[in-house]
Amino acid sequence: MELSTRYNPSETESRWYEHWETSGYFHSTPDDREPFTIVIPPPNVTGVLHMGHMLNNTIQDILIRKARLDGKNACWVPGTDHASIATEAKVVRWLREEKKLRKADITREQFMEFAYQWKDKYGGIILKQLRRLGASCDWDRTAFTMDPGYYEDCIRTFVDLYQKDKLYRGLRMVNWDPEARTVLSNEEVLYNEEQAQLFHIKYLLEGSGSEGIVIATQRPETIFADTAVAVNPKDKRYQKLVGKKVLIPLINRAIPVIADDYVDVEFGTGALKITPAHDPNDYEIGLRHQLEVIDTIDDEGRLNENCAFKPLVGLDRFDARKRMKALLEESGNLVKLEDYVTKIGRSERTNSVVEPKLSLQWFVRMSDLGAPALKAVLDREIQFYPDSFQNLYRNWMENLRDWCISRQLWWGQRIPAWYLKSEGFNKETHVFVAETAEKALAQAQQQTGNATLTLDDLRQDEDVLDTWASSWLWPISVFDGFRKPDGEIQYYYPTSVLVTGWDIIFFWVARMIMAGYEYKGARPFQAVYFTGMVRDQKRRKMSKSLGNSPDALKLIDDFGADGVRYGLMSSAAAGNDILFDDKLCENGRNFCNKLWNALRLVKGWPVGEQAETEADARKNALAVHWMREKFNVVLEDIEANMRVFRLSDALLGLYGFIWDDFCSWYLEMIKPGFEKPIDRATLEATLDLFADLMVALHPFMPFITEEIWHQLRERAAGDDCMVQQYPKAGKADQKLIAQVEAAKDVIGKVRDLRNQNQIKPKEPLPLTVQQSASAEALFGLAGLREMVVKLAVLSELSISEDEPANSKSFISGTDKFYVEINQEIDVAAERAKLLEELAYQEGFLKSVQAKLANERFVNGAPPQVVENERKKEADALARIQILKESLKNLGDV
């Protein structure tokens, strides 16, 4: 079949992906092979493919395909996260816009039915999109964090932690998102500097007409929740006021002036309004001084009846803040406004300003869970790549705070805690934590001594688990490790490597490690590969709002999946951010076309049984030998880089070898003359080599390698590139490699000389090399002389003591070469060139000798490194001697 002039990925990618999947290549079951396991960081079920997903999943696919080719039992588990906050928001919007329903108008059970309808219709799109990228996941194992079995695991672990006293319910100051109407963990709050205003407000002393104390606050709408004003006991300005009372402006409620060391004398006025219900630090001060807690802001961020100032009741907190300026001016309490910059916390999900709020929530005690998880990383039982992230991890783990795992949502795993209806909401004295309502009822009957209680007397906690409180079980639950602890989890766990962004090192990575040691007594993964962020050329994070995030699927349409994979990986050093540019993908597409053109060239040659001449036979045999030896070096480098997850270096090394050595040099070395045949032995060796290159490249660019693999030869059913054995590196013949590299240098310098002297590329030229032992050894290698004659387009190549007349010279290695050009030589120009080269070589020699004069280097460096420097010194001295002799022949001393 005639090959098309250009590679067309749209014609091959879907065909090969379907073939791989139907052939069962992605599926894994336990056997006697070494397992290599990856669990996908589950994208939100609401998600669509973006650049971060493309990078992360390309890396995972490279690792899993390489392991498969290495003969391991490769298992890559895909799946999605139910993403409680994001999904509930989308379902609520869908109900409002398409069903004309409000969440408040339906029951929880009805909402969950609608949520699953939405999930089945719109969710999981990203998993289909990952197929376009070539992700070779075991789709039979696709998991979802709300699957019945997974749900059961979450409930079981909640109950277990509660029974171990590692989980508790308490009234705590939490981060409240008024837009999502749920609590946020500390890691879900993003702090950035923003412009704000300090309101300097005067609180009049009770019983005084004008005397008072001035406080400075950014949040004047919260003064109605004040229960004290605090000053530092060492602040002489206010010592006489301690113990007296001041009046809250607008409502004239009297509150005490108290002394507390927390107050910063230098900040603002040195006096601090204390609002225990709406500030975590104030709450702690309130506990110390037994202050009343007055909550004046409701769950939606509006002022409630507790504020005791009717004109503002029902207003949004920010609208109330605007009104406060005029009200305080009118009452005479506003002293001044001061502009300043402060850090403001916003919800990672909604960007709403977070409201500190006292709330009854469920918390995990982190101290006991954290200790083995920290030790595992510090002892490198779990290896981080790059290991610099170990410091970031340690800093967080050494400052752990208890984890709030309850969320005020319906979509998620409902907290398995029940209360007595008779005790009232948030006034419960009894809590019954159990896996089922029936077990909770049994607890209630036993604890209360009331055997007549029924299920109707109980109500279940309305909250659900934090999304991360389900995904922390991911490496265990996807292998059914809780319900079948002696099942396949014994084979697949711990997993081999986790590939994830460093931005969720606390949210997810640390917590999975904790769960692994808590429930399996072992690490969940052997290594963690942290990817960088994909950024634009201005180093901005890619986002829809900035309009700088490319359409991932359109990139695949434009450049092919292999082109996009190459584009991402060619600049994706572990942990480093990627400055993405479409040109990277264009380079990948160009590489595909280069490979395709090489295929067309090789398949287009006529074939003969024997080489045309003995010289051709020697040349071709040397070319094949050289390529195989250099391939050994490349394969060794690939293995070394893959072991430490330097995937970009592995790819670029292979790319350079294929583009330069194979396509630009090797194919030119063996290419027969016009309408001349290539001998069968060389062709067969070339086809074998080409096939091995495709297997080596396959993990990085799977589609084109599979296509070329099948185009090279007729293949039996099942003889696919994807399931071959990855080429193994043998011991390379470094001497032969060096000899051919020396020949390439000679060829390159002859070509340069042609260009400099406007000599046609195809005009044969005589080349003479000055007689020396090194020249005799180089050109004594079978086939090398013929290789240089062909590629440099020479009429002859001779070794002589005499310098040919009317020639130009160059140095390659430590040998001097002369090209007869049949042109008048410009002696001045030749002298200038030689002097320039001499100055360079003398400078180079000086730097090498300085290194060798350094005793610390000579005594401390590996012997081979020192020996290499000594060889550089000897070569430089030889070249300098040749240059001086050439200058002397031109009349220079």
Side-chain angles (χ1 to χ4, degrees):
M1 184 178 70
E2 185 176 347
L3 294 171
S4 60
T5 55
R6 294 179 66 84
Y7 173 64
N8 188 346
S10 64
E11 293 178 358
T12 59
E13 291 179 352
S14 59
R15 169 165 49 85
W16 282 121
Y17 195 89
E18 182 181 358
H19 172 74
W20 295 329
E21 191 170 9
T22 56
S23 298
Y25 294 156
F26 302 163
H27 185 59
S28 170
T29 54
D31 57 27
D32 58 357
R33 290 175 294 166
E34 176 187 348
F36 185 91
T37 316
I38 298 178
V39 291
I40 198 172
N44 288 356
V45 71
T46 60
V48 294
L49 199 64
H50 61 59
M51 298 307 294
H53 294 133
M54 299 260 275
L55 171 64
N56 188 287
N57 287 282
T58 294
I59 291 169
Q60 290 176 82
D61 194 49
I62 290 169
L63 294 172
I64 213 78
R65 286 179 183 271
K66 175 63 164 59
R68 204 177 277 124
L69 291 165
D70 283 338
K72 297 175 184 177
N73 189 346
C75 179
W76 183 13
V77 180
T80 50
D81 188 284
H82 67 281
S84 51
I85 295 177
T87 304
E88 182 150 324
K90 286 185 179 292
V91 173
V92 168
R93 188 181 307 118
W94 175 65
L95 287 173
R96 184 177 64 245
E97 295 175 357
E98 293 195 20
K99 303 289 185 181
K100 309 305 178 189
L101 290 172
R102 296 187 310 154
K103 182 183 175 184
D105 297 333
I106 58 178
T107 66
R108 186 182 192 123
E109 290 70 24
Q110 289 172 324
F111 179 84
M112 291 299 287
E113 287 180 13
F114 281 125
Y116 275 107
Q117 286 178 26
W118 183 93
K119 178 254 180 186
D120 291 340
K121 185 175 182 180
Y122 298 107
I125 292 172
I126 189 169
L127 297 184
K128 298 182 180 70
Q129 294 174 331
L130 284 175
R131 288 173 160 84
R132 290 284 313 276
L133 189 64
S136 57
C137 300
D138 186 347
W139 299 110
D140 295 337
R141 293 180 175 274
T142 302
F144 179 49
T145 52
M146 285 282 280
D147 284 338
Y150 203 115
Y151 193 113
E152 184 182 318
D153 292 344
C154 296
I155 300 305
R156 181 185 286 110
T157 55
F158 185 99
V159 174
D160 176 72
L161 290 171
Y162 182 78
Q163 291 173 347
K164 294 174 179 174
D165 196 30
K166 294 182 179 180
L167 186 147
Y168 64 92
R169 189 178 189 230
L171 185 67
R172 294 276 295 274
M173 185 66 68
V174 298
N175 305 302
W176 185 263
D177 182 339
E179 186 173 331
R181 292 186 226 174
T182 188
V183 70
L184 303 172
S185 68
N186 293 319
E187 292 76 29
E188 292 170 303
V189 181
L190 304 179
Y191 290 92
N192 289 294
E193 289 190 342
E194 298 186 27
Q195 193 68 39
Q197 285 187 314
L198 274 179
F199 286 68
H200 290 251
I201 304 171
K202 187 172 186 178
Y203 287 46
L204 292 175
L205 194 65
E206 187 178 37
S208 168
S210 59
E211 189 179 359
I213 190 167
V214 177
I215 61 93
T217 179
Q218 177 202 326
R219 307 173 67 207
E221 71 280 3
T222 64
I223 67 171
F224 309 115
D226 291 354
T227 53
V229 169
V231 296
N232 192 295
K234 298 175 184 176
D235 193 337
K236 295 181 179 179
R237 293 174 296 174
Y238 301 122
Q239 285 177 344
K240 64 178 182 179
L241 297 179
V242 175
K244 296 184 178 181
K245 291 189 176 182
V246 293
L247 301 175
I248 297 175
L250 303 181
I251 60 173
N252 292 323
R253 175 162 52 82
I255 56 175
V257 178
I258 61 175
D260 196 282
D261 290 328
Y262 173 79
V263 181
D264 183 352
V265 176
E266 301 296 327
F267 180 76
T269 65
L272 184 69
K273 64 189 281 298
I274 304 302
T275 318
H278 299 296
D279 184 275
N281 298 313
D282 291 5
Y283 179 63
E284 295 298 325
I285 293 172
L287 290 176
R288 287 198 292 273
H289 296 272
Q290 298 181 320
L291 298 176
E292 183 184 4
V293 177
I294 303 173
D295 187 348
T296 60
I297 298 177
D298 69 15
D299 290 352
E300 296 181 13
R302 297 177 301 202
L303 271 65
N304 61 29
E305 295 286 346
N306 293 338
C307 79
F309 189 69
K310 286 188 176 180
L312 298 183
V313 172
L315 279 185
D316 176 81
R317 56 194 166 145
F318 297 115
D319 292 334
R321 186 177 300 176
K322 293 175 185 175
R323 291 281 300 277
M324 286 295 288
K325 180 177 181 292
L327 289 166
L328 291 169
E329 284 177 338
E330 186 179 338
S331 68
N333 294 98
L334 184 61
V335 177
K336 68 174 181 176
L337 282 175
E338 179 185 353
D339 291 332
Y340 84 123
V341 174
T342 186
K343 285 191 173 182
I344 292 177
R346 290 183 178 272
S347 167
E348 183 191 41
R349 298 288 184 185
T350 66
N351 201 42
S352 175
V353 174
V354 169
E355 189 67 39
K357 185 177 178 66
L358 271 176
S359 180
L360 265 176
Q361 302 289 339
W362 288 93
F363 296 86
V364 174
R365 299 187 200 278
M366 299 293 275
S367 54
D368 290 346
L369 294 175
L374 175 59
K375 185 176 186 298
V377 173
L378 294 184
D379 292 349
R380 286 180 164 77
E381 184 178 351
I382 298 172
Q383 181 69 53
F384 282 0
Y385 296 91
D387 62 5
S388 57
F389 284 106
Q390 187 183 100
N391 293 329
L392 180 67
Y393 179 85
R394 179 177 61 187
N395 182 60
W396 187 74
M397 293 292 289
E398 289 177 345
N399 296 278
L400 281 175
R401 288 182 284 185
D402 286 355
W403 174 19
C404 178
I405 62 168
S406 46
R407 297 292 183 269
Q408 289 63 53
L409 301 164
W410 282 354
W411 176 246
Q413 296 89 3
R414 191 172 181 179
I415 286 176
W418 281 262
Y419 314 101
L420 292 172
K421 291 179 181 177
S422 60
E423 291 182 345
F425 186 73
N426 278 354
K427 298 178 182 177
E428 305 89 349
T429 57
H430 292 88
V431 180
F432 314 108
V433 174
E435 292 177 21
T436 65
E438 289 74 20
K439 290 181 180 179
L441 176 60
Q443 286 184 27
Q445 291 171 339
Q446 182 180 11
Q447 289 182 29
T448 63
N450 184 354
T452 65
L453 288 174
T454 68
L455 290 175
D456 289 338
D457 296 313
L458 301 182
R459 63 174 179 83
Q460 187 175 353
D461 198 305
E462 292 289 327
D463 293 351
V464 300
L465 291 177
D466 173 20
T467 292
W468 301 105
S470 60
S471 59
W472 77 321
L473 306 177
W474 188 250
I476 303 173
S477 288
V478 297
F479 296 114
D480 215 0
F482 288 100
R483 282 162 294 148
K484 298 178 181 177
D486 296 323
E488 66 178 18
I489 193 165
Q490 295 287 337
Y491 179 77
Y492 290 116
Y493 188 98
T495 64
S496 303
V497 60
L498 174 73
V499 180
T500 186
W502 58 263
D503 54 323
I504 55 174
I505 189 172
F506 313 131
F507 286 126
W508 194 45
V509 178
R511 289 166 180 166
M512 279 192 292
I513 297 174
M514 293 178 198
Y517 284 100
E518 180 70 15
Y519 289 107
K520 298 304 296 179
R523 58 187 178 178
F525 24 73
Q526 299 167 29
V528 183
Y529 176 106
F530 290 107
T531 66
M533 292 285 185
V534 184
R535 300 184 182 276
D536 65 14
Q537 290 296 298
K538 297 179 182 178
R539 296 187 176 275
R540 299 176 302 177
K541 186 176 178 180
M542 288 190 167
S543 67
K544 288 183 179 178
S545 60
L546 289 174
N548 64 345
S549 183
D551 182 328
L553 293 180
K554 188 175 186 305
L555 283 175
I556 293 176
D557 290 338
D558 291 345
F559 301 106
D562 289 325
V564 174
R565 288 167 67 115
Y566 173 88
L568 286 166
M569 294 310 304
S570 61
S571 58
N576 293 343
D577 290 348
I578 294 174
L579 301 184
F580 184 77
D581 191 321
D582 284 7
K583 290 179 181 176
L584 296 169
C585 298
E586 187 177 344
N587 291 343
R589 183 179 63 188
N590 292 343
F591 185 32
C592 289
N593 286 326
K594 184 80 168 179
L595 292 168
W596 193 252
N597 287 335
L599 171 69
R600 294 179 65 237
L601 178 67
V602 171
K603 296 293 284 184
W605 289 333
V607 184
E609 291 304 317
Q610 301 293 330
E612 290 283 295
T613 65
E614 284 296 319
D616 282 344
R618 289 193 298 272
K619 167 181 63 68
N620 291 350
L622 175 62
V624 171
H625 190 185
W626 165 68
M627 273 301 286
R628 281 295 179 184
E629 296 304 324
K630 193 156 189 188
F631 193 23
N632 282 331
V633 174
V634 173
L635 288 171
E636 189 174 342
D637 288 345
I638 289 172
E639 294 298 337
N641 284 316
M642 294 291 281
R643 278 194 294 272
V644 292
F645 299 96
R646 298 184 68 89
L647 276 63
S648 180
D649 291 346
L651 171 59
L652 291 177
L654 185 55
Y655 165 87
F657 178 64
I658 293 173
W659 188 291
D660 295 329
D661 293 307
F662 180 70
C663 294
S664 299
W665 284 101
Y666 173 76
L667 293 181
E668 288 300 311
M669 290 174 184
I670 65 167
K671 184 170 70 173
F674 182 65
E675 294 187 347
K676 298 286 187 179
I678 187 169
D679 64 281
R680 187 169 299 281
T682 300
L683 179 64
E684 291 298 320
T686 302
L687 294 177
D688 289 343
L689 176 61
F690 207 156
D692 285 349
L693 291 174
M694 293 305 93
V695 176
L697 185 62
H698 180 82
F700 304 95
M701 302 173 74
F703 293 108
I704 190 166
T705 52
E706 189 72 77
E707 179 68 15
I708 290 177
W709 167 268
H710 283 273
Q711 292 289 352
L712 286 169
R713 296 185 188 278
E714 288 290 328
R715 306 286 183 184
D719 185 16
D720 295 316
C721 183
M722 181 180 170
V723 291
Q724 298 304 305
Q725 183 72 31
Y726 201 81
K728 300 297 181 187
K731 184 172 176 59
D733 185 338
Q734 294 289 355
K735 181 180 178 182
L736 182 136
I737 292 172
Q739 287 174 307
V740 175
E741 293 301 319
K744 286 167 60 182
D745 186 64
V746 172
I747 294 162
K749 287 180 175 174
V750 172
R751 290 172 176 174
D752 290 342
L753 193 142
R754 284 180 184 275
N755 292 333
Q756 293 162 9
N757 293 276
Q758 292 83 47
I759 301 172
K760 295 177 181 178
K762 297 297 183 183
E763 180 181 337
L765 295 173
L767 177 68
T768 301
V769 56
Q770 195 170 64
Q771 191 166 30
S772 67
S774 57
E776 295 285 357
L778 178 64
F779 292 103
L781 178 64
L784 191 133
R785 180 189 293 264
E786 293 85 350
M787 183 183 291
V788 173
V789 168
K790 176 184 179 181
L791 296 183
V793 190
L794 303 178
S795 56
E796 61 176 306
L797 193 164
S798 57
I799 300 175
S800 173
E801 293 182 352
D802 301 323
E803 177 179 340
N806 203 26
S807 64
K808 288 206 168 187
S809 65
F810 62 83
I811 296 173
S812 178
T814 58
D815 289 310
K816 187 172 183 180
F817 292 79
Y818 302 94
V819 179
E820 297 176 52
I821 61 172
N822 295 320
Q823 294 178 7
E824 184 176 344
I825 302 300
D826 185 336
V827 175
E830 189 71 8
R831 180 183 296 111
K833 186 183 78 169
L834 291 171
L835 287 170
E836 181 182 0
E837 177 65 14
L838 179 62
Y840 171 80
Q841 292 295 338
E842 288 176 336
F844 176 74
L845 175 64
K846 186 177 179 181
S847 67
V848 173
Q849 289 177 332
K851 189 179 288 188
L852 290 171
N854 184 334
E855 289 186 13
R856 289 183 60 187
F857 168 75
V858 174
N859 295 329
Q864 186 58 50
V865 173
V866 177
E867 184 58 33
N868 289 343
E869 292 301 314
R870 296 197 192 283
K871 185 175 187 308
K872 288 179 186 178
E873 179 186 35
D875 289 350
L877 286 168
R879 286 191 289 268
I880 288 170
Q881 182 61 33
I882 292 171
L883 289 166
K884 286 182 175 179
E885 289 178 1
S886 296
L887 284 166
K888 184 177 180 181
N889 291 338
L890 289 175
D892 288 45
V893 178

